[in-house]
Amino acid sequence: MEQQNKVNERLALFRSLIGQEVTQSPSHFMNWLKPVVLGAAKGELHCSYIVRKEMTNPYGILHGGITAGIIDDLIGATVYTLNLAQAYTTVNNNIDYFAPAKEGDQITAKTRIIKQGRAIINLECEVFLPSKNRLIAKGYSNMLNIG
């Protein structure tokens, strides 16, 4: 029961931020990305981001590394909502890029757990460009229990 209460506390933290920009995350990268929380449930997060100039490549479109960073960071935060006693780290990220986003665009990212095992948690994250109703990237990741 105590673990369930902690899960609720962590979810309550994300839920309290719905509609707000994250500024006090333990992840400094998340604070730099400046997501706005759109939704939070156990094992699921949904956030929006504004593509800033420093997030773009020389062509003025969202850098693939930033897209990968959004996916990895939000997947890590999703595992955090599970309140597991063990620490988890990313084993791999497999990302497909489908379409560009440019400076000033609002994009959204939504995660979900595919399978949760004792040693590995498999998750996915879809990144959308809502203004064009377009999937711009989809990533899969495995998180490893490191104790």
Side-chain angles (χ1 to χ4, degrees), residues 6-84:
K6 287 183 182 179
V7 170
N8 291 339
E9 288 173 18
R10 289 183 177 184
L11 284 176
L13 171 66
F14 278 98
R15 287 178 177 156
S16 74
L17 294 171
I18 291 176
Q20 298 178 43
E21 182 179 295
V22 176
T23 60
Q24 299 296 315
S25 171
S27 165
H28 301 293
F29 187 61
M30 181 176 273
N31 294 330
W32 182 82
L33 289 170
K34 301 181 181 183
V36 172
V37 179
L38 301 176
K42 182 180 176 186
E44 296 180 9
L45 288 175
H46 190 193
C47 292
S48 69
Y49 306 79
I50 300 297
V51 178
R52 303 186 312 271
K53 185 174 185 168
E54 62 267 29
M55 297 170 144
T56 62
N57 66 21
Y59 298 107
I61 59 174
L62 181 62
H63 192 289
I66 299 298
T67 304
I70 287 169
I71 291 168
D72 188 49
D73 192 63
L74 200 58
I75 280 174
T78 301
V79 171
Y80 175 80
T81 68
L82 300 175
N83 194 52
L84 301 169

